Amino acid sequence: MHKIHRYRWPNHPMGTCFIRQSDQLVYVNIPKNATEYTKLLFDGTLTNFYENAIPEDYRYLIVLRNPIERWYSGLCEYVQRYTTINPDSDVFDQFDALKILTTACANDEHTELQLRFIAGLPSKNAVFFNFNDNFTTNLTDWFDQNNVAYPQSLSGKKRNVTEQQWITLRNRIKKHVESNTELLESLNEYLKLDIKLYNSVQYYIKGEK
């Protein structure tokens, strides 16, 4: 991958991952895909698979998320980090900033395509997890089935419950996008490769072979 693409988002270069050498595991860090939870499993050992060679027999844990839902969540984070838009405002949908944000598609790493973060990885060593309501159950089961130690401090820990303000913001953004046919079509066009990826990989599911 050309360096101009790898460093498109300075806060999260492409290839960012966490490695757990004792178990020959690599967790590929895709923003908005349970990263705060999952990266704790790797003892904070940060590396980059483009810059540092990783042994061929290492397994890659990759968490994917419904592309549309991830984009909404990513835009929520961008709005909360970098703007002063008030989602409770009666004129929320009239903000020019919102119109610009929802047509930009990729505003930062949180709305960048998921496939860009895993480009070049050996697919034969990849284990995919779907970031849905069963994510924690499936992840812990995989650890158990593969005799990999699961930190006790994380056992039974649930994903963070979304705050009401976050829910409000997400719903307003979703309403704004879905009420505009042209905008919705544009978003689906932007996400089409991610949607194809999300629907084509085989996810690890507890109890299934």
Side-chain angles (χ1 to χ4, degrees):
M1 180 180 291
H2 194 282
K3 66 172 59 178
I4 193 171
H5 296 301
R6 282 180 53 197
Y7 296 101
R8 181 180 184 184
W9 311 116
N11 292 333
H12 193 111
M14 303 303 177
T16 298
C17 59
F18 292 84
I19 192 167
R20 188 162 155 174
Q21 293 181 336
S22 60
D23 294 304
Q24 299 181 327
L25 289 178
V26 178
Y27 164 58
V28 182
N29 191 23
I30 303 177
K32 301 310 299 177
N33 293 6
T35 55
E36 292 303 315
Y37 177 88
T38 314
K39 69 185 180 183
L40 295 177
L41 304 176
F42 294 81
D43 305 318
T45 307
L46 181 67
T47 187
N48 189 295
F49 59 75
Y50 287 122
E51 299 173 355
N52 302 297
I54 295 175
E56 293 183 359
D57 57 346
Y58 274 39
R59 290 169 294 182
Y60 294 83
L61 302 189
I62 300 171
V63 182
L64 298 180
R65 184 175 183 176
N66 179 291
I68 296 289
E69 292 302 317
R70 177 178 176 270
W71 189 85
Y72 287 140
S73 181
L75 190 54
C76 283
E77 183 148 343
Y78 185 90
V79 169
Q80 290 195 330
R81 283 191 182 198
Y82 305 115
T83 77
T84 58
I85 296 176
N86 178 8
D88 294 318
S89 169
D90 291 336
V91 294
F92 176 83
D93 297 326
Q94 298 176 25
F95 275 94
D96 288 338
L98 180 66
K99 297 176 182 178
I100 294 173
L101 289 172
T102 52
T103 54
C105 291
N107 294 284
D108 67 355
E109 64 270 25
H110 300 97
T111 46
E112 179 61 89
L113 294 178
Q114 297 172 85
L115 62 84
R116 290 187 181 276
F117 295 96
I118 61 174
L121 289 179
S123 59
K124 66 182 179 66
N125 294 347
V127 182
F128 290 95
F129 295 88
N130 192 345
F131 183 42
N132 55 21
D133 291 339
N134 297 317
F135 168 68
T136 305
T137 298
N138 292 327
L139 183 66
T140 54
D141 185 72
W142 186 89
F143 271 67
D144 290 340
Q145 295 299 322
N146 288 273
N147 297 314
V148 178
Y150 196 83
Q152 290 298 313
S153 59
L154 293 180
S155 296
K157 182 176 180 180
K158 303 297 184 181
R159 291 189 283 125
N160 291 333
V161 177
T162 307
E163 297 177 357
Q164 186 57 48
Q165 185 178 13
W166 189 280
I167 295 175
T168 300
L169 178 56
R170 177 197 172 282
N171 289 342
R172 296 297 293 270
I173 290 175
K174 182 177 180 180
K175 178 182 178 181
H176 175 78
V177 172
E178 294 185 349
S179 64
N180 185 319
T181 302
E182 184 177 347
L183 184 57
L184 185 59
E185 290 178 351
S186 176
L187 178 60
N188 276 281
E189 176 64 22
Y190 165 66
L191 294 173
K192 67 179 182 181
L193 293 179
D194 256 13
I195 293 172
K196 180 179 179 180
L197 171 68
Y198 179 77
N199 290 328
S200 64
V201 303
Q202 182 175 355
Y203 297 101
Y204 180 85
I205 299 176
K206 180 179 179 179
E208 294 187 6
K209 299 295 184 181

